[in-house]
Amino acid sequence: MNASPDDPRARLRHAVYWLLIATAAGNMVGRILTVTSADGQTPFLSANDRSRWCTIRSLGDHGTYVIDAVIVQNPRAASFNEKFDKRWYSIDMMRHKGHDGREHFYSTKPTLLPTMLAGEYWLIKRLSGAGLEHQTFYVGRLMLIVTNVLPMILSFVLLARLVDRYGTSDWGRIFVMACATWATFLTTFAITLNNHLPAAISALVAVYAALPIWCNGERRWSCFAVAGLSAAFAAANELPALSLFAMLAAALCWKSPSRTLLAFAPAAAVVAVPFFVTNFVAHGSWSTPYAHRSDGAVLMTLDGSAQSDLERGVVPELLRQRIKAEQGMDISRAAVVTVATPDERWVLWDHEGHDRLALVRSDDGIQVRAWDNWYEYDRSYWTSGRKTGVDLGEPSRAVYAFHLLIGHHGVFSLTPVWLLSVIGCGMLLSARGHDLRSLAFMTLLLTVVCFAFYIARPLDDRNYGGVTCGLRWLFWLIPLWLVCMLPAADAMSSRRALAAVALILLAASVISASYASLNPWSHPWIFDYWTYLGWIRY
C-alpha cells in the first residue's frame, strides 16, 4: 500500500485491506479444494471450462490442439454414450479438417490462454508426475489455485493501492475493498477455468500502469510496456476489451508518442503475435473459430435440375465432375448429401476424402459453397433444433436490454452496488481537474459501448451468456467500476443514513455473488426465483 507516511490511520486501514484479501483468498481456495462436477468425476463445472481443459490436456499429453484423443473413448461405437467420454465431452467444440487432411474435433475457445496453461500443466506434470488423465482432481484444482487465486490476490493489492491513492475517507476506501473482495462475480468465478478473470485482472493492471502516465506525467518505459502488455492480454481474452486497448493507446500516444510506439506497441505485440500464431497452428486459419460459423465462398452455381438428385441424397454426376475440374477436389462415389434445411440447403459429405460442401438454394439455382461452418457437425448442440433454454436467444432487444440492466441477469439488480459506480462517475465528471476524471469518462464510454454491442447482437447471441450467474461478458469492467465508485463511497461515509444505504447495497451484492459460489455456471437467484413464480419460462 502507498499511503502518506504522515497518515496516522494508514496502518489500521492497511490491516483491514489485508484481512479482506486474506479472507477472500481463503474462501476461493476452500471452494476450489471442494469443486466437483455434477457426476463427481472431475473438478470441471460446465461445458465452457471443460472445453478449455480438453485443449490443455491434449497439448500437454499429446502435443496437439486436436481433442479427439481426450473426448473420444471408442471411435467405432455406434451410440453416442459409448463413443464419447462424458467426463470430458463438451458442447463447446467444433469440427473441421486438420493439417492431416482429416476432420477432427477442436475446442471453440481462443487458443492463447489454453496454450499458456498447457505450459503450466507441462511443468506440473514434469515436477510431480501427475497428469490430468488420472490425477484430474489434484492437477485441476492445483492449476485453478495458481491460475485464478494468485492473480486475484495481485489484483486486490493493486486495487488497494489505487484506493489508498485516490480515496479521501477510511470508510469509503474500506467499503470499495469490501466490494472487491466479496461483492463481485470475479471471486465467484475463481473456482472455474474461464477467460473473464484474466481479462478483468489485465484491465486493472493496464489502468494501474497508465494512470501515473496520464495523471502524474510519469514517463518510465516500464509503465508504457506494462500498459500495452496488459491491455492487449485483456483484449485477447475479451474481444470488447479491444476498446480499452484502443483508448489507452490513444491516450498514451497523446502523452508520449515515442514511448507508446517503442514500448506500448512492442509489448502489445508480445500478446498479439502468439494469439494469431497459436490460432493458425491449431486451425490453419488466422481468424478465430467464432468467425467460422457460416457457409464459405461460392465456388460455382448449378441449375435447378440438380435439386431432384439432392432431395434423394445423391451427388449429381455433373457436380462431381465440375468440382474436380474447377476445384481439384475428387469427390468419391461414396459421398452422400444430407438435408440441413428442407428445400433450402444441403450438405455434401465425402467421408473418404473428409471433404464437405454446402449446397444452398438461390434465385440463380443452387450455389455450391466452400465449407466454413465449423460448428455444424453430427449431433452438434449449435445446429438448429438442439439448443434449449436461454441459448435459444431473446427475440426482443428491448426485453433483452431490460434483463441485462435490471432484470433476471441485470447488472444493477444482481449487483446493486454498481449504482454507486454510476454516481461516482457522475461526481468525477463534474469535478474539474480530478485525476480520475478521464478514467470516469473512459469507463462510462466503455460500459455503454459494450452494452450496445451485446444488445445489437443477432438472435443466437442474445442468450445472457448462457447458463451463468451474471452477465459475464462485462466482468472485465469490474475493476474500473470499483475505482470509479470511490467518490460516491467517500461522500456517503459522512452521513449515517447514506452509509446504511451503501451497506444494504453491499449486502445484496454479496448475496448474488454467494448464491452461485459453488458453481458459477448456474442461473442467477433472480432468474431461479422468477422461474419458480412462473414469470419467465425457458
Side-chain angles (χ1 to χ4, degrees):
M1 316 306 173
N2 57 350
S4 172
D6 58 0
D7 185 349
R9 292 174 299 193
R11 180 174 296 182
L12 178 59
R13 191 168 65 244
H14 295 170
V16 176
Y17 295 162
W18 283 115
L19 286 172
L20 290 171
I21 293 172
T23 53
N27 178 269
M28 288 185 287
V29 172
R31 288 185 291 123
I32 288 174
L33 293 179
T34 60
V35 63
T36 306
S37 60
D39 60 10
Q41 298 188 60
T42 69
F44 315 142
L45 296 175
S46 78
N48 192 294
D49 64 333
R50 278 198 306 274
S51 180
R52 290 184 169 88
W53 283 113
C54 284
T55 300
I56 294 168
R57 179 183 158 191
S58 187
L59 283 172
D61 292 348
H62 308 292
T64 178
Y65 289 94
V66 174
I67 63 173
D68 294 7
V70 176
I71 64 172
V72 179
Q73 61 183 0
N74 182 6
R76 292 184 175 83
S79 72
F80 176 84
N81 290 334
E82 292 177 346
K83 181 176 181 179
F84 292 102
D85 186 344
K86 291 191 292 183
R87 299 172 305 163
W88 291 88
Y89 181 83
S90 169
I91 61 173
D92 286 335
M93 66 181 190
M94 58 194 175
R95 187 173 175 86
H96 66 77
K97 186 178 290 189
H99 299 291
D100 60 356
R102 314 291 288 179
E103 282 197 347
H104 299 286
F105 288 107
Y106 300 83
S107 167
T108 60
K109 306 304 177 183
T111 51
L112 180 59
L113 182 61
T115 303
M116 296 171 63
L117 296 181
E120 178 185 326
Y121 170 46
W122 177 87
L123 184 61
I124 292 174
K125 192 174 180 182
R126 287 291 299 269
L127 294 177
S128 66
L132 279 168
E133 181 177 7
H134 300 296
Q135 292 83 25
T136 313
F137 282 96
Y138 170 79
V139 176
R141 289 170 174 171
L142 176 59
M143 289 185 65
L144 286 173
I145 293 173
V146 174
T147 303
N148 289 351
V149 179
L150 295 184
M152 281 294 290
I153 293 174
L154 172 63
S155 72
F156 290 149
V157 172
L158 295 181
L159 181 64
R161 292 174 67 88
L162 290 175
V163 163
D164 240 31
R165 183 186 307 166
Y166 296 107
T168 59
S169 71
D170 291 343
W171 192 93
R173 290 161 167 158
I174 293 171
F175 179 84
V176 172
M177 285 304 299
C179 290
T181 50
W182 287 100
T184 82
F185 287 117
L186 292 182
T187 53
T188 308
F189 262 77
I191 65 171
T192 183
L193 193 60
N194 65 91
N195 59 303
H196 310 300
L197 260 64
I201 295 168
S202 299
L204 175 61
V205 174
V207 169
Y208 183 86
L211 277 175
I213 300 173
W214 183 258
C215 301
N216 305 325
E218 180 65 65
R219 291 297 182 267
R220 283 182 295 171
W221 293 90
S222 59
C223 289
F224 286 84
V226 170
L229 183 71
S230 302
F233 194 61
N237 285 284
E238 290 278 14
L239 178 61
L242 190 61
S243 56
L244 172 66
F245 175 84
M247 287 186 180
L248 287 181
L252 299 189
C253 188
W254 177 268
K255 291 295 184 178
S256 177
S258 61
R259 285 171 172 78
T260 303
L261 179 62
L262 299 177
F264 183 94
V270 171
V271 174
V273 171
F275 177 86
F276 289 105
V277 169
T278 55
N279 189 82
F280 186 83
V281 172
H283 306 299
S285 171
W286 295 109
S287 56
T288 60
Y290 300 127
H292 298 270
R293 297 198 296 179
S294 59
D295 295 329
V298 177
L299 303 179
M300 60 188 71
T301 301
L302 303 175
D303 59 40
S305 62
Q307 182 169 336
S308 59
D309 286 336
L310 298 178
E311 290 175 345
R312 292 186 292 111
V314 176
V315 180
E317 184 61 30
L318 176 61
L319 172 60
R320 194 191 319 273
Q321 294 175 2
R322 287 190 59 185
I323 291 175
K324 184 174 183 179
E326 298 179 24
Q327 304 297 324
M329 187 184 301
D330 194 0
I331 302 297
S332 72
R333 296 189 178 277
V336 297
V337 172
T338 57
V339 177
T341 306
D343 299 327
E344 294 182 8
R345 184 173 177 276
W346 300 264
V347 176
L348 185 156
W349 165 236
D350 182 4
H351 67 273
E352 292 186 5
H354 278 230
D355 291 314
R356 289 184 191 268
L357 292 170
L359 310 174
V360 184
R361 189 175 182 178
S362 68
D363 294 338
D364 299 330
I366 297 174
Q367 295 178 343
V368 180
R369 291 177 170 266
W371 189 255
D372 199 38
N373 193 337
W374 295 354
Y375 288 74
E376 184 178 338
Y377 54 87
D378 184 38
R379 297 187 67 93
S380 170
Y381 176 76
W382 307 108
T383 54
S384 177
R386 291 188 178 274
K387 291 189 290 186
T388 60
V390 294
D391 287 331
L392 291 172
E394 171 55 56
S396 169
R397 283 192 169 88
V399 172
Y400 193 59
F402 170 82
H403 285 304
L404 292 184
L405 290 170
I406 56 175
H408 54 63
H409 278 74
V411 169
F412 298 114
S413 51
L414 290 173
T415 319
V417 77
W418 298 136
L419 292 170
L420 302 184
S421 298
V422 176
I423 296 172
C425 283
M427 294 174 66
L428 288 170
L429 290 175
S430 63
R432 293 185 178 276
H434 197 290
D435 286 348
L436 296 182
R437 191 182 187 200
S438 297
L439 178 65
F441 174 78
M442 182 179 74
T443 301
L444 276 178
L445 182 58
L446 288 173
T447 303
V448 171
V449 167
C450 286
F451 264 112
F453 173 79
Y454 287 113
I455 292 172
R457 299 297 296 160
L459 176 62
D460 286 348
D461 292 339
R462 297 200 297 271
N463 63 357
Y464 304 101
V467 180
T468 181
C469 60
L471 189 55
R472 59 190 176 93
W473 296 323
L474 297 185
F475 287 175
W476 67 275
L477 287 165
I478 286 177
L480 280 66
W481 294 344
L482 287 167
V483 176
C484 291
M485 185 192 298
L486 262 174
D490 285 333
M492 300 176 84
S493 66
S494 59
R495 296 187 180 184
R496 185 172 298 180
L498 292 179
V501 171
L503 291 176
I504 293 172
L505 296 179
L506 171 62
S509 301
V510 172
I511 290 172
S512 294
S514 302
Y515 182 80
S517 60
L518 297 182
N519 186 359
W521 302 107
S522 56
H523 286 304
W525 70 268
I526 297 178
F527 184 98
D528 287 342
Y529 186 51
W530 287 6
T531 301
Y532 169 76
L533 294 176
W535 293 0
I536 55 175
R537 298 182 185 277
Y538 284 95

